[in-house]
Amino acid sequence: MDISTISALMSPPDLSDCRKLLCIQPHPDDNEVGLGGTIASFAEKGCEIHYLTVTNGDLGAVDEHLSSAEIAAIRAHELEAAGRSLGATVFHQLDHGDGTLEHIPALAEEIAEIIRTVQPDVIFCPDPWLSYEAHYDHIVTGRAAAQAFLSSGLPLYPRGTSTRPWQPKAISFYFTSEPNTVIDITDHFERKFDAMALHRSQFSEEMLGLYRIYFHEQGRQLAEGKGFGLGEGLKVLSPLHLHCFVEARKI
């Protein structure tokens, strides 16, 4: 194995030529919060953006007078409005209640069917190995997405499938503390927050203000020395990095 091959193996996949993205979120607002600027950036370049939402978010409201069904309906409307404002055009929804996720292999099979149908170049999902992440929906979704990403190229996975194998070239974890790729969102920072504001059931003006300060400072730090003003960080890995590869944390 020559030096160039080793260098490629120890480097994150390049996302610059991606044409189709599958953005996987546990709840209806996670894509906007975790990678709203990235989505807007890729959409502006002509990428086809798909959203896959795993739960209906039916616990996510502070108004005690709303039923679970009413909350889910509100969040479904907010989800599509926010996604379309960033450039998403196709929306996939799995039939899980908020806070109910627990079985990683079963969810991985569901996600794999969407991957094999959509055939994206890259999938995005929350980093399930984030230290102190306490929301099990995020952990299960991230782990299941990673398993689906790793296995969706196998001819017989999931068992009994009628879809064709498809192997995305990269998985990109958002909400990560170990980014190896920074996307320039300088021109899309405001669009991210405009999209977040469309989740009116979730974010007060005060909360949006706090997020704006936090993400602006985080974005500034991520962009330091890179020739742009604000960034969003991702941990981008290839299929080879996700199985029996002990150096993955170093990539």
Side-chain angles (χ1 to χ4, degrees):
M1 185 178 293
D2 59 28
I3 293 175
S4 62
T5 302
I6 294 173
S7 177
L9 184 61
M10 293 301 295
S11 300
D14 181 10
L15 304 183
S16 61
D17 61 347
C18 297
R19 306 305 301 163
K20 187 185 293 186
L21 312 181
L22 178 63
C23 303
I24 303 172
Q25 57 182 356
H27 309 106
D29 58 350
D30 289 317
N31 281 340
E32 282 73 49
V33 179
L35 70 157
T38 298
I39 292 168
S41 174
F42 277 99
E44 189 175 81
K45 296 174 185 176
C47 290
E48 182 178 314
I49 311 293
H50 290 243
Y51 270 32
L52 170 57
T53 308
V54 176
T55 78
N56 60 12
D58 64 352
L59 295 180
V62 295
D63 186 343
E64 63 185 38
H65 298 101
L66 293 175
S67 67
S68 292
E70 289 171 326
I71 296 168
I74 290 169
R75 300 203 70 185
H77 175 75
E78 292 174 342
L79 183 164
E80 185 163 344
R84 289 194 182 280
S85 77
L86 295 176
T89 56
V90 186
F91 297 83
H92 311 269
Q93 177 73 57
L94 298 184
D95 187 26
H96 296 282
D98 197 348
T100 67
L101 302 183
E102 57 181 349
H103 198 278
I104 291 168
L107 181 58
E109 293 184 353
E110 292 185 81
I111 293 173
E113 289 283 19
I114 302 296
I115 291 173
R116 290 161 67 105
T117 301
V118 172
Q119 299 187 344
D121 299 307
V122 180
I123 70 170
F124 295 79
C125 66
D127 187 345
W129 295 281
L130 177 68
S131 298
Y132 306 109
E133 174 57 70
H135 203 316
Y136 205 55
D137 285 351
H138 280 238
I139 296 168
V140 173
T141 296
R143 293 289 294 270
Q147 181 176 333
F149 165 75
L150 186 66
S151 302
S152 62
L154 298 173
L156 300 181
Y157 180 87
R159 293 182 185 276
T161 187
S162 60
T163 55
R164 299 287 300 166
W166 181 260
Q167 180 61 71
K169 75 171 189 176
I171 184 169
S172 299
F173 296 103
Y174 60 92
F175 293 143
T176 184
S177 61
E178 299 182 350
N180 59 14
T181 300
V182 179
I183 304 298
D184 179 4
I185 65 162
T186 310
D187 296 334
H188 305 96
F189 186 78
E190 292 303 324
R191 286 187 65 190
K192 172 189 176 85
F193 273 87
D194 288 344
M196 287 175 60
L198 293 173
H199 292 280
R200 295 183 179 87
S201 70
Q202 303 304 298
F203 303 121
S204 65
E205 289 298 321
E206 179 182 12
M207 181 60 71
L208 285 171
L210 290 172
Y211 269 134
R212 180 182 293 275
I213 293 169
Y214 171 72
F215 282 119
H216 192 278
E217 177 58 20
Q218 182 189 64
R220 185 193 64 77
Q221 292 179 16
L222 286 167
E224 281 184 356
K226 294 181 171 60
F228 51 85
L230 298 171
E232 275 181 341
L234 302 167
K235 179 74 169 184
V236 183
L237 297 173
S238 73
L240 286 174
H241 297 146
L242 283 190
H243 182 51
C244 301
F245 194 83
V246 299
E247 305 292 329
R249 291 182 68 96
K250 301 177 182 179
I251 294 172

PDB file of all heavy atoms in Angstrom, residues 22 25 35 59 67 71-72 74 86 113 134 153 155 159 161-162 165 167 174 182 197 202-205 209 224 231 234:
ATOM      1  N   LEU A  22     -29.291  12.721   1.842  1.00  0.00           N
ATOM      2  CA  LEU A  22     -30.371  12.255   2.706  1.00  0.00           C
ATOM      3  C   LEU A  22     -30.060  12.715   4.119  1.00  0.00           C
ATOM      4  O   LEU A  22     -29.095  12.256   4.737  1.00  0.00           O
ATOM      5  CB  LEU A  22     -30.492  10.730   2.655  1.00  0.00           C
ATOM      6  CG  LEU A  22     -31.558  10.109   3.565  1.00  0.00           C
ATOM      7  CD1 LEU A  22     -32.957  10.584   3.167  1.00  0.00           C
ATOM      8  CD2 LEU A  22     -31.483   8.582   3.532  1.00  0.00           C
ATOM      9  N   GLN A  25     -33.102  12.875  10.632  1.00  0.00           N
ATOM     10  CA  GLN A  25     -33.273  13.553  11.912  1.00  0.00           C
ATOM     11  C   GLN A  25     -34.201  12.740  12.818  1.00  0.00           C
ATOM     12  O   GLN A  25     -35.201  12.191  12.360  1.00  0.00           O
ATOM     13  CB  GLN A  25     -33.824  14.961  11.710  1.00  0.00           C
ATOM     14  CG  GLN A  25     -35.139  15.051  10.958  1.00  0.00           C
ATOM     15  CD  GLN A  25     -35.580  16.492  10.761  1.00  0.00           C
ATOM     16  OE1 GLN A  25     -34.965  17.443  11.226  1.00  0.00           O
ATOM     17  NE2 GLN A  25     -36.701  16.659  10.063  1.00  0.00           N
ATOM     18  N   LEU A  35     -27.631  21.181  11.106  1.00  0.00           N
ATOM     19  CA  LEU A  35     -26.906  21.446   9.866  1.00  0.00           C
ATOM     20  C   LEU A  35     -27.698  22.302   8.886  1.00  0.00           C
ATOM     21  O   LEU A  35     -27.608  22.139   7.668  1.00  0.00           O
ATOM     22  CB  LEU A  35     -26.457  20.141   9.197  1.00  0.00           C
ATOM     23  CG  LEU A  35     -27.479  19.206   8.557  1.00  0.00           C
ATOM     24  CD1 LEU A  35     -26.773  18.321   7.506  1.00  0.00           C
ATOM     25  CD2 LEU A  35     -28.146  18.316   9.564  1.00  0.00           C
ATOM     26  N   LEU A  59     -44.270  14.613  21.473  1.00  0.00           N
ATOM     27  CA  LEU A  59     -44.109  15.042  22.866  1.00  0.00           C
ATOM     28  C   LEU A  59     -43.560  16.462  22.956  1.00  0.00           C
ATOM     29  O   LEU A  59     -43.498  17.026  24.054  1.00  0.00           O
ATOM     30  CB  LEU A  59     -43.152  14.101  23.616  1.00  0.00           C
ATOM     31  CG  LEU A  59     -43.597  12.652  23.805  1.00  0.00           C
ATOM     32  CD1 LEU A  59     -42.514  11.887  24.574  1.00  0.00           C
ATOM     33  CD2 LEU A  59     -44.920  12.576  24.538  1.00  0.00           C
ATOM     34  N   SER A  67     -53.114  17.856  22.379  1.00  0.00           N
ATOM     35  CA  SER A  67     -52.991  16.402  22.396  1.00  0.00           C
ATOM     36  C   SER A  67     -51.757  15.990  21.592  1.00  0.00           C
ATOM     37  O   SER A  67     -51.198  16.784  20.830  1.00  0.00           O
ATOM     38  CB  SER A  67     -54.230  15.756  21.778  1.00  0.00           C
ATOM     39  OG  SER A  67     -54.293  16.044  20.390  1.00  0.00           O
ATOM     40  N   ILE A  71     -50.045  17.938  18.383  1.00  0.00           N
ATOM     41  CA  ILE A  71     -48.631  18.309  18.340  1.00  0.00           C
ATOM     42  C   ILE A  71     -47.963  17.734  17.090  1.00  0.00           C
ATOM     43  O   ILE A  71     -47.222  18.431  16.386  1.00  0.00           O
ATOM     44  CB  ILE A  71     -47.901  17.806  19.607  1.00  0.00           C
ATOM     45  CG1 ILE A  71     -48.443  18.493  20.846  1.00  0.00           C
ATOM     46  CG2 ILE A  71     -46.393  18.049  19.492  1.00  0.00           C
ATOM     47  CD1 ILE A  71     -47.980  17.853  22.152  1.00  0.00           C
ATOM     48  N   ALA A  72     -48.239  16.465  16.805  1.00  0.00           N
ATOM     49  CA  ALA A  72     -47.635  15.826  15.631  1.00  0.00           C
ATOM     50  C   ALA A  72     -48.037  16.553  14.348  1.00  0.00           C
ATOM     51  O   ALA A  72     -47.205  16.746  13.446  1.00  0.00           O
ATOM     52  CB  ALA A  72     -48.049  14.359  15.564  1.00  0.00           C
ATOM     53  N   ILE A  74     -48.932  19.745  14.017  1.00  0.00           N
ATOM     54  CA  ILE A  74     -48.253  21.038  13.988  1.00  0.00           C
ATOM     55  C   ILE A  74     -46.803  20.865  13.560  1.00  0.00           C
ATOM     56  O   ILE A  74     -46.292  21.589  12.703  1.00  0.00           O
ATOM     57  CB  ILE A  74     -48.313  21.708  15.380  1.00  0.00           C
ATOM     58  CG1 ILE A  74     -49.745  22.162  15.683  1.00  0.00           C
ATOM     59  CG2 ILE A  74     -47.348  22.901  15.458  1.00  0.00           C
ATOM     60  CD1 ILE A  74     -49.955  22.580  17.131  1.00  0.00           C
ATOM     61  N   LEU A  86     -34.973  25.868   3.285  1.00  0.00           N
ATOM     62  CA  LEU A  86     -33.534  25.634   3.098  1.00  0.00           C
ATOM     63  C   LEU A  86     -33.214  24.993   1.763  1.00  0.00           C
ATOM     64  O   LEU A  86     -32.044  24.938   1.376  1.00  0.00           O
ATOM     65  CB  LEU A  86     -33.002  24.746   4.224  1.00  0.00           C
ATOM     66  CG  LEU A  86     -33.031  25.337   5.634  1.00  0.00           C
ATOM     67  CD1 LEU A  86     -32.563  24.296   6.646  1.00  0.00           C
ATOM     68  CD2 LEU A  86     -32.166  26.582   5.715  1.00  0.00           C
ATOM     69  N   GLU A 113     -33.928   0.815   3.827  1.00  0.00           N
ATOM     70  CA  GLU A 113     -34.870   0.795   2.699  1.00  0.00           C
ATOM     71  C   GLU A 113     -34.972   2.182   2.052  1.00  0.00           C
ATOM     72  O   GLU A 113     -35.052   2.305   0.823  1.00  0.00           O
ATOM     73  CB  GLU A 113     -36.251   0.329   3.173  1.00  0.00           C
ATOM     74  CG  GLU A 113     -36.327  -1.141   3.536  1.00  0.00           C
ATOM     75  CD  GLU A 113     -36.382  -2.062   2.317  1.00  0.00           C
ATOM     76  OE1 GLU A 113     -36.017  -1.640   1.198  1.00  0.00           O
ATOM     77  OE2 GLU A 113     -36.792  -3.224   2.497  1.00  0.00           O
ATOM     78  N   ALA A 134     -28.075  12.686  26.145  1.00  0.00           N
ATOM     79  CA  ALA A 134     -29.019  11.973  27.007  1.00  0.00           C
ATOM     80  C   ALA A 134     -30.306  11.590  26.304  1.00  0.00           C
ATOM     81  O   ALA A 134     -31.110  10.837  26.870  1.00  0.00           O
ATOM     82  CB  ALA A 134     -29.350  12.835  28.234  1.00  0.00           C
ATOM     83  N   GLY A 153     -25.446  -1.550   1.100  1.00  0.00           N
ATOM     84  CA  GLY A 153     -24.872  -2.042  -0.147  1.00  0.00           C
ATOM     85  C   GLY A 153     -24.886  -3.547  -0.278  1.00  0.00           C
ATOM     86  O   GLY A 153     -24.514  -4.087  -1.328  1.00  0.00           O
ATOM     87  N   PRO A 155     -26.507  -7.089  -0.978  1.00  0.00           N
ATOM     88  CA  PRO A 155     -27.648  -7.470  -1.814  1.00  0.00           C
ATOM     89  C   PRO A 155     -28.873  -7.923  -1.030  1.00  0.00           C
ATOM     90  O   PRO A 155     -30.006  -7.644  -1.428  1.00  0.00           O
ATOM     91  CB  PRO A 155     -27.084  -8.613  -2.667  1.00  0.00           C
ATOM     92  CG  PRO A 155     -25.620  -8.356  -2.724  1.00  0.00           C
ATOM     93  CD  PRO A 155     -25.262  -7.775  -1.379  1.00  0.00           C
ATOM     94  N   ARG A 159     -33.316  -8.147   5.185  1.00  0.00           N
ATOM     95  CA  ARG A 159     -33.885  -9.438   4.767  1.00  0.00           C
ATOM     96  C   ARG A 159     -35.257  -9.224   4.139  1.00  0.00           C
ATOM     97  O   ARG A 159     -36.097  -8.519   4.671  1.00  0.00           O
ATOM     98  CB  ARG A 159     -34.005 -10.388   5.960  1.00  0.00           C
ATOM     99  CG  ARG A 159     -32.667 -10.817   6.530  1.00  0.00           C
ATOM    100  CD  ARG A 159     -32.847 -11.801   7.673  1.00  0.00           C
ATOM    101  NE  ARG A 159     -31.573 -12.123   8.293  1.00  0.00           N
ATOM    102  CZ  ARG A 159     -30.719 -13.052   7.846  1.00  0.00           C
ATOM    103  NH1 ARG A 159     -31.043 -13.751   6.775  1.00  0.00           N
ATOM    104  NH2 ARG A 159     -29.586 -13.277   8.470  1.00  0.00           N
ATOM    105  N   THR A 161     -35.921  -7.739   1.338  1.00  0.00           N
ATOM    106  CA  THR A 161     -36.078  -6.490   0.603  1.00  0.00           C
ATOM    107  C   THR A 161     -36.301  -6.722  -0.889  1.00  0.00           C
ATOM    108  O   THR A 161     -35.838  -7.725  -1.450  1.00  0.00           O
ATOM    109  CB  THR A 161     -34.825  -5.592   0.797  1.00  0.00           C
ATOM    110  OG1 THR A 161     -35.071  -4.324   0.196  1.00  0.00           O
ATOM    111  CG2 THR A 161     -33.595  -6.217   0.156  1.00  0.00           C
ATOM    112  N   SER A 162     -36.988  -5.776  -1.506  1.00  0.00           N
ATOM    113  CA  SER A 162     -37.154  -5.790  -2.967  1.00  0.00           C
ATOM    114  C   SER A 162     -36.379  -4.647  -3.607  1.00  0.00           C
ATOM    115  O   SER A 162     -36.472  -4.437  -4.817  1.00  0.00           O
ATOM    116  CB  SER A 162     -38.642  -5.679  -3.333  1.00  0.00           C
ATOM    117  OG  SER A 162     -39.192  -4.457  -2.833  1.00  0.00           O
ATOM    118  N   PRO A 165     -29.301  -2.846  -4.009  1.00  0.00           N
ATOM    119  CA  PRO A 165     -28.239  -2.384  -3.128  1.00  0.00           C
ATOM    120  C   PRO A 165     -27.772  -0.976  -3.503  1.00  0.00           C
ATOM    121  O   PRO A 165     -27.749  -0.606  -4.684  1.00  0.00           O
ATOM    122  CB  PRO A 165     -27.108  -3.401  -3.355  1.00  0.00           C
ATOM    123  CG  PRO A 165     -27.770  -4.591  -3.943  1.00  0.00           C
ATOM    124  CD  PRO A 165     -28.939  -4.084  -4.728  1.00  0.00           C
ATOM    125  N   GLN A 167     -24.709   1.871  -1.929  1.00  0.00           N
ATOM    126  CA  GLN A 167     -23.728   2.264  -0.925  1.00  0.00           C
ATOM    127  C   GLN A 167     -23.387   3.740  -1.058  1.00  0.00           C
ATOM    128  O   GLN A 167     -22.677   4.130  -1.983  1.00  0.00           O
ATOM    129  CB  GLN A 167     -22.444   1.443  -1.059  1.00  0.00           C
ATOM    130  CG  GLN A 167     -21.371   1.793  -0.031  1.00  0.00           C
ATOM    131  CD  GLN A 167     -21.852   1.558   1.384  1.00  0.00           C
ATOM    132  OE1 GLN A 167     -22.012   0.414   1.802  1.00  0.00           O
ATOM    133  NE2 GLN A 167     -22.068   2.633   2.133  1.00  0.00           N
ATOM    134  N   TYR A 174     -23.697  15.110  12.376  1.00  0.00           N
ATOM    135  CA  TYR A 174     -23.824  16.447  12.929  1.00  0.00           C
ATOM    136  C   TYR A 174     -24.061  16.341  14.434  1.00  0.00           C
ATOM    137  O   TYR A 174     -24.101  15.242  14.973  1.00  0.00           O
ATOM    138  CB  TYR A 174     -24.912  17.256  12.221  1.00  0.00           C
ATOM    139  CG  TYR A 174     -26.324  16.692  12.273  1.00  0.00           C
ATOM    140  CD1 TYR A 174     -27.208  17.061  13.279  1.00  0.00           C
ATOM    141  CD2 TYR A 174     -26.792  15.830  11.279  1.00  0.00           C
ATOM    142  CE1 TYR A 174     -28.510  16.574  13.322  1.00  0.00           C
ATOM    143  CE2 TYR A 174     -28.097  15.341  11.305  1.00  0.00           C
ATOM    144  CZ  TYR A 174     -28.947  15.708  12.335  1.00  0.00           C
ATOM    145  OH  TYR A 174     -30.235  15.227  12.360  1.00  0.00           O
ATOM    146  N   VAL A 182     -15.431  21.063   7.903  1.00  0.00           N
ATOM    147  CA  VAL A 182     -16.164  22.291   8.231  1.00  0.00           C
ATOM    148  C   VAL A 182     -16.738  22.859   6.949  1.00  0.00           C
ATOM    149  O   VAL A 182     -16.012  23.099   5.976  1.00  0.00           O
ATOM    150  CB  VAL A 182     -15.254  23.332   8.922  1.00  0.00           C
ATOM    151  CG1 VAL A 182     -16.036  24.608   9.220  1.00  0.00           C
ATOM    152  CG2 VAL A 182     -14.670  22.758  10.215  1.00  0.00           C
ATOM    153  N   ALA A 197     -36.693  29.397  13.102  1.00  0.00           N
ATOM    154  CA  ALA A 197     -37.802  30.203  13.609  1.00  0.00           C
ATOM    155  C   ALA A 197     -39.153  29.696  13.127  1.00  0.00           C
ATOM    156  O   ALA A 197     -40.185  30.000  13.742  1.00  0.00           O
ATOM    157  CB  ALA A 197     -37.610  31.666  13.199  1.00  0.00           C
ATOM    158  N   GLN A 202     -41.510  25.093  19.013  1.00  0.00           N
ATOM    159  CA  GLN A 202     -40.323  24.635  19.724  1.00  0.00           C
ATOM    160  C   GLN A 202     -39.466  25.752  20.307  1.00  0.00           C
ATOM    161  O   GLN A 202     -38.876  25.591  21.372  1.00  0.00           O
ATOM    162  CB  GLN A 202     -39.440  23.805  18.770  1.00  0.00           C
ATOM    163  CG  GLN A 202     -40.137  22.620  18.141  1.00  0.00           C
ATOM    164  CD  GLN A 202     -40.715  21.680  19.170  1.00  0.00           C
ATOM    165  OE1 GLN A 202     -39.983  21.103  19.979  1.00  0.00           O
ATOM    166  NE2 GLN A 202     -42.026  21.515  19.167  1.00  0.00           N
ATOM    167  N   PHE A 203     -39.371  26.884  19.584  1.00  0.00           N
ATOM    168  CA  PHE A 203     -38.381  27.891  19.949  1.00  0.00           C
ATOM    169  C   PHE A 203     -39.028  29.245  20.223  1.00  0.00           C
ATOM    170  O   PHE A 203     -39.692  29.813  19.350  1.00  0.00           O
ATOM    171  CB  PHE A 203     -37.344  28.049  18.830  1.00  0.00           C
ATOM    172  CG  PHE A 203     -36.630  26.784  18.472  1.00  0.00           C
ATOM    173  CD1 PHE A 203     -36.674  26.271  17.183  1.00  0.00           C
ATOM    174  CD2 PHE A 203     -35.910  26.077  19.429  1.00  0.00           C
ATOM    175  CE1 PHE A 203     -36.017  25.105  16.852  1.00  0.00           C
ATOM    176  CE2 PHE A 203     -35.252  24.899  19.110  1.00  0.00           C
ATOM    177  CZ  PHE A 203     -35.303  24.415  17.822  1.00  0.00           C
ATOM    178  N   SER A 204     -38.794  29.752  21.428  1.00  0.00           N
ATOM    179  CA  SER A 204     -39.199  31.120  21.747  1.00  0.00           C
ATOM    180  C   SER A 204     -38.164  32.082  21.183  1.00  0.00           C
ATOM    181  O   SER A 204     -37.057  31.682  20.790  1.00  0.00           O
ATOM    182  CB  SER A 204     -39.272  31.296  23.269  1.00  0.00           C
ATOM    183  OG  SER A 204     -37.965  31.162  23.841  1.00  0.00           O
ATOM    184  N   GLU A 205     -38.499  33.363  21.162  1.00  0.00           N
ATOM    185  CA  GLU A 205     -37.543  34.361  20.706  1.00  0.00           C
ATOM    186  C   GLU A 205     -36.301  34.361  21.595  1.00  0.00           C
ATOM    187  O   GLU A 205     -35.174  34.540  21.118  1.00  0.00           O
ATOM    188  CB  GLU A 205     -38.194  35.755  20.707  1.00  0.00           C
ATOM    189  CG  GLU A 205     -39.237  35.945  19.615  1.00  0.00           C
ATOM    190  CD  GLU A 205     -38.647  35.803  18.221  1.00  0.00           C
ATOM    191  OE1 GLU A 205     -37.506  36.271  17.994  1.00  0.00           O
ATOM    192  OE2 GLU A 205     -39.316  35.209  17.351  1.00  0.00           O
ATOM    193  N   GLY A 209     -32.523  33.547  20.338  1.00  0.00           N
ATOM    194  CA  GLY A 209     -31.448  34.497  20.591  1.00  0.00           C
ATOM    195  C   GLY A 209     -30.231  33.836  21.215  1.00  0.00           C
ATOM    196  O   GLY A 209     -29.087  34.124  20.836  1.00  0.00           O
ATOM    197  N   GLU A 224     -11.976  29.416  11.815  1.00  0.00           N
ATOM    198  CA  GLU A 224     -10.683  30.080  11.990  1.00  0.00           C
ATOM    199  C   GLU A 224      -9.609  29.468  11.099  1.00  0.00           C
ATOM    200  O   GLU A 224      -9.427  28.252  11.054  1.00  0.00           O
ATOM    201  CB  GLU A 224     -10.227  29.996  13.450  1.00  0.00           C
ATOM    202  CG  GLU A 224     -10.913  31.002  14.358  1.00  0.00           C
ATOM    203  CD  GLU A 224     -10.371  30.970  15.783  1.00  0.00           C
ATOM    204  OE1 GLU A 224      -9.514  30.096  16.059  1.00  0.00           O
ATOM    205  OE2 GLU A 224     -10.806  31.788  16.610  1.00  0.00           O
ATOM    206  N   GLY A 231     -18.683  28.522  10.091  1.00  0.00           N
ATOM    207  CA  GLY A 231     -18.740  27.154   9.616  1.00  0.00           C
ATOM    208  C   GLY A 231     -19.652  26.279  10.450  1.00  0.00           C
ATOM    209  O   GLY A 231     -20.027  26.625  11.578  1.00  0.00           O
ATOM    210  N   LEU A 234     -18.773  18.794  10.875  1.00  0.00           N
ATOM    211  CA  LEU A 234     -19.286  17.451  10.645  1.00  0.00           C
ATOM    212  C   LEU A 234     -18.162  16.446  10.857  1.00  0.00           C
ATOM    213  O   LEU A 234     -16.997  16.727  10.579  1.00  0.00           O
ATOM    214  CB  LEU A 234     -19.802  17.297   9.209  1.00  0.00           C
ATOM    215  CG  LEU A 234     -20.897  18.241   8.741  1.00  0.00           C
ATOM    216  CD1 LEU A 234     -21.040  18.154   7.230  1.00  0.00           C
ATOM    217  CD2 LEU A 234     -22.220  17.904   9.423  1.00  0.00           C
TER     218      LEU A 234
END
